Amino acid sequence: MSKPQPPLIDAHCHPDAFGSDEWGDVVRRASKVGVRGCVAAGLWPDQFERLLKSHSAELVARVHTRAEFVALFQAPEEFHLMACLGLHPMEVARRWRLSSGEFARPMAERDVLFFVETARNYQALVWAVGEAGFDASEECLLGWSSKEQLLEAQDFAFEVSVKLAVELGVPLVVHSRCAWGHTLNRLQAAKKIGLGQFMVHCYPGSASDLQRLERMGGFASFGGVMTWPNAKRMREALRLAPSGSYLIETDSPDLAPAIAGFERIVRNEPKYLKPIAEVAAQLRGESLDDVIRSNFENLQRYFLAVK
């Protein structure tokens, strides 16, 4: 007798980016294709507070056992959000820069106090810390005096995020763009001070980095970019990813997938997780059920640190 198919869970999404008047329709469309919830990625403490106000009915408290996690998604009529709280590196680039292009450390220290206080006050609702990480893209470097100054600011945010994740006993959500080598080095250092599980969303690394990532307790998450025909590096990484350490995401409303049979998708949303999973199955030579099951079981391992 075959096992029942687990629910589809979006490993990385930004629900607060959708207007309150449209979110209900977004959820209904997602539910129709079997998506039961999202990991609500965090940008900044004020974004987390907006999430509390606009999505209070869907936010769920963190669970601590595999049975509780499975039970959470049993009701097909319910859609759950697992909230994260972060110091996003793109926000760091925007908020912690002096007019001279230097790192505004006093401003950063004030923001960090609010960040840590918010996380402690709502720790029952914080499933993970993040997004945290590094972004040295042209968009983020604009206005900075040097790449070194930008990375100093992002290093400060990352170190605080790691320490908070260790304190709360939750995993980390990692963002990395145009800074993969730097990210790997900082993750290695973070493991030495007690960082547990972490997820690299929109995985930018090579296939050869995946085993190193897995040894460190890391998960590689793949989304809409992986469906782009020219994203050869990412597609190869997903094809070779260990079955116990990959996840699937949409990163809604950003990075819309390119999927055969669909018109050009302008605004991404959780309903596209299923066709993204279908592309993942094709690349890996697996069934759709296999990919959905791996994603659900790997999310349990990510959040609960279970074998």
Side-chain angles (χ1 to χ4, degrees), residues 21 27 53 61 66-67 80 85 116 122 152 179 195 208 246 249 254-255 289 298:
D21 56 338
V27 168
K53 293 177 182 177
R66 185 191 294 268
H80 297 309
L85 175 64
V116 172
Y122 295 103
E152 182 183 348
L195 178 65
S208 62
Y246 78 89
E249 63 175 66
D254 302 316
L255 302 178
D289 282 3
N298 290 342

Side-chain angles (χ1 to χ4, degrees), residues 105-274:
R105 184 173 285 271
M107 184 183 301
E109 290 173 346
R110 289 194 297 272
D111 283 346
V112 160
L113 287 175
F114 181 48
F115 169 64
V116 172
E117 179 184 28
T118 302
R120 288 172 178 167
N121 287 343
Y122 295 103
Q123 61 180 293
L125 287 174
V126 175
W127 285 69
V129 172
E131 296 178 45
F134 306 94
D135 194 318
S137 61
E138 289 186 11
E139 178 183 355
C140 287
L141 282 168
L142 188 65
W144 283 83
S145 61
S146 67
K147 181 178 178 179
E148 289 71 26
Q149 280 289 304
L150 170 62
L151 288 178
E152 182 183 348
Q154 292 175 349
D155 273 329
F156 180 66
F158 187 74
E159 183 178 343
V160 169
S161 299
V162 167
K163 289 179 178 177
L164 183 61
V166 172
E167 175 191 327
L168 299 181
V170 298
L172 192 71
V173 180
V174 179
H175 170 112
S176 181
R177 183 167 63 151
C178 303
W180 181 235
H182 188 83
T183 303
L184 280 176
N185 289 337
R186 292 301 185 265
L187 281 168
Q188 194 74 55
K191 295 300 294 185
K192 293 178 181 178
I193 63 169
L195 178 65
Q197 311 287 81
F198 63 89
M199 169 206 305
V200 181
H201 107 88
C202 194
Y203 178 71
S206 67
S208 62
D209 288 328
L210 287 166
Q211 289 186 342
R212 179 182 175 187
L213 204 71
E214 187 180 37
R215 286 194 299 271
M216 287 195 287
F219 293 78
S221 188
F222 298 86
V225 176
M226 168 270 297
T227 68
W228 303 352
N230 63 346
K232 294 179 180 179
R233 175 182 166 107
M234 185 179 290
R235 289 164 71 89
E236 179 68 0
L238 174 59
R239 187 178 73 82
L240 298 175
S243 60
S245 61
Y246 78 89
L247 300 166
I248 51 173
E249 63 175 66
T250 62
D251 199 14
S252 309
D254 302 316
L255 302 178
I259 302 169
F262 287 80
E263 293 184 6
R264 182 173 178 270
I265 300 167
V266 176
R267 187 168 172 80
N268 200 5
E269 58 181 87
K271 75 172 183 179
Y272 295 118
L273 188 67
K274 187 172 183 179

